[in-house]
Amino acid sequence: MRYIEARLPIDDLLADAADWAVPLPVPAVRIRGLVARHGAVLDVVTRPALLHFDGWAGNVLAVDGPDGTPRLSGLVDGERYLWGDPLMDLVSPLLYRRTEDEPADPLVQAYRATAPFPLDAGARRRLGLYRLHLYLLMTMEMPSRGITAASDPGRVGRLAELLSRELAELTQ
């Protein structure tokens, strides 16, 4: 099994899309093909880390330390925890943005200070695959959360746009 298949359960997400009749911007076979085509960029990741994969500010708890500096005190909402590439944890906190376009973001800087990583072509491709995974996940979970194009047209349209953008980039 390739590492990407262990980390990015694309087939599971695409099966959910079929089960829930969720429309995709392109046929599922094209998504599978693009993920397989770029799977080799994940081979550089040889030691997975435990990831939160939903680490936006509302899921991160902090308290002031003795010197007044905020310190991590906990994480909530762990249904998306998984083992994978530490870069994958930079996708959700920068939702709707591109990590590689924001190297000055405090979270990106903190990650790079703790565990330096290049923002080279391979890392950018991995980040694109991880965004694809997240946007597919967010699209697939809409019916189970009662989200429809009528109830939240902005979300549905934005996710379709983001999915299309990542698919286009992976096609290049």
Side-chain angles (χ1 to χ4, degrees):
M1 179 185 315
R2 292 189 79 151
Y3 191 53
I4 190 166
E5 292 166 346
R7 263 187 310 171
L8 298 178
I10 296 297
D11 286 331
D12 292 343
L13 292 174
L14 296 174
D16 287 347
D19 290 347
W20 287 89
V22 175
L24 298 171
V26 299
V29 68
R30 180 165 172 228
I31 294 171
R32 280 187 195 95
L34 286 171
V35 170
R37 176 177 155 202
H38 295 291
V41 299
L42 299 163
D43 291 343
V44 301
V45 182
T46 58
R47 184 174 180 196
L50 180 61
L51 309 176
H52 189 282
F53 199 56
D54 198 12
W56 64 284
N59 287 342
V60 178
L61 306 177
V63 296
D64 286 338
D67 64 353
T69 302
R71 304 277 186 226
L72 178 69
S73 63
L75 299 169
V76 297
D77 201 10
E79 87 262 5
R80 291 188 181 159
Y81 284 6
L82 64 123
W83 289 93
D85 179 355
L87 279 184
M88 194 174 193
D89 240 1
L90 292 175
V91 173
S92 294
L94 283 89
L95 189 60
Y96 305 136
R97 298 179 290 153
R98 299 169 59 84
T99 304
E100 58 271 37
D101 295 341
E102 301 198 23
D105 180 90
L107 182 66
V108 175
Q109 287 184 337
Y111 262 66
R112 292 185 87 184
T114 303
F117 60 88
L119 280 173
D120 60 13
R124 291 170 187 271
R125 187 61 54 178
R126 291 187 344 253
L127 286 163
L129 289 166
Y130 304 150
R131 281 190 298 271
L132 175 68
H133 173 81
L134 177 63
Y135 299 149
L136 280 171
L137 175 65
M138 292 174 69
T139 299
M140 295 323 119
E141 72 184 4
M142 285 193 284
S144 69
R145 294 177 181 236
I147 299 169
T148 65
S151 70
D152 196 344
R155 178 182 173 128
V156 172
R158 179 76 171 151
L159 283 170
E161 173 188 314
L162 290 165
L163 267 171
S164 294
R165 179 181 177 181
E166 293 305 330
L167 290 166
E169 295 232 353
L170 290 169
T171 300
Q172 296 177 359

